[in-house]
Amino acid sequence: MENDFIMDILNNTLQELLDKFRTDGLSDSEIIDKFSEQKIENALSKATEAISSGTVNTLENTMHKRVLEERSNTAQFMAHNNQIWGNAFVASEAMYIIALEAGNDVNAYALTLEKEQYKDIMYRYCVLGGLYGRACQQYLEIIHLVKGGFADGAYARWRSLFEFTTFF
């Protein structure tokens, strides 16, 4: 279909050039000479401009419809994925919530420490708290990638999380 569109534009452009040469009173051999010169390059330039313009117009006219179709396909995929793996997704999200609550509890405990006690662990606490938060973020990214069907991306993030947690 796209090839037909391009061929139609090329044929129309070359036909216009041929008609112009015939209107100018050129013979067939002169027309062949003109085509073999640089006139064909001008015709191809016009065809390229028409193709570019046509492509942009087509994209502008169809982009909303195509994006909505793709969103619909994605929603169908995610619904099907959730039917199959819904319990695993819930368990994974529950683990994430538990991890967040545990982090909040540790943070609340650290804030209740005496100033002298906190001073001794302050730097260690700040570093471990930052690492813990980053690990939770990576875990949530993994959940979202798996839900979206991006198993390879989730596996890559999982490897990154594993490497990250070896520092603990």
Side-chain angles (χ1 to χ4, degrees):
M1 183 175 157
E2 292 176 11
N3 291 337
D4 293 340
F5 171 72
I6 292 170
M7 288 306 296
D8 287 344
I9 289 176
L10 285 173
N11 286 333
N12 289 340
T13 304
L14 292 174
Q15 186 63 48
E16 287 174 11
L17 192 57
L18 180 63
D19 292 342
K20 180 184 177 298
F21 289 152
R22 286 203 172 129
T23 304
D24 291 344
L26 298 177
S27 67
D28 288 345
S29 62
E30 290 173 324
I31 290 173
I32 292 171
D33 290 340
K34 289 285 189 183
F35 273 124
S36 63
E37 292 174 1
Q38 68 185 44
K39 297 293 183 185
I40 192 75
E41 292 176 15
N42 292 337
L44 292 177
S45 293
K46 287 180 182 178
T48 302
E49 289 175 23
I51 291 167
S52 298
S53 176
T55 301
V56 169
N57 289 338
T58 300
L59 289 174
E60 286 177 347
N61 292 333
T62 62
M63 72 179 165
H64 292 290
K65 178 184 173 196
R66 293 185 71 189
V67 167
L68 291 176
E69 286 173 358
E70 186 58 32
R71 285 181 183 173
S72 174
N73 292 340
T74 300
Q76 288 175 354
F77 169 81
M78 292 184 79
H80 180 70
N81 202 22
N82 197 44
Q83 284 178 341
I84 296 170
W85 297 103
N87 291 336
F89 294 156
V90 168
S92 297
E93 290 176 47
M95 271 182 46
Y96 174 74
I97 292 169
I98 291 167
L100 278 183
E101 289 176 354
N104 286 336
D105 290 346
V106 169
N107 190 36
Y109 169 75
L111 293 175
T112 63
L113 294 175
E114 296 292 325
K115 201 171 201 175
E116 205 48 47
Q117 252 184 322
Y118 184 74
K119 183 179 174 186
D120 293 339
I121 64 167
M122 177 175 60
Y123 298 113
R124 184 180 309 144
Y125 172 76
C126 288
V127 169
L128 288 176
L131 292 173
Y132 186 79
R134 182 71 181 120
C136 286
Q137 180 185 13
Q138 285 183 343
Y139 184 75
L140 187 59
E141 289 171 0
I142 291 165
I143 292 171
H144 284 282
L145 286 167
V146 169
K147 281 180 166 184
F150 299 103
D152 290 340
Y155 184 67
R157 297 305 294 153
W158 188 261
R159 281 193 322 264
S160 177
L161 179 62
F162 174 78
E163 291 167 3
F164 186 72
T165 57
T166 59
F167 292 119
F168 289 123

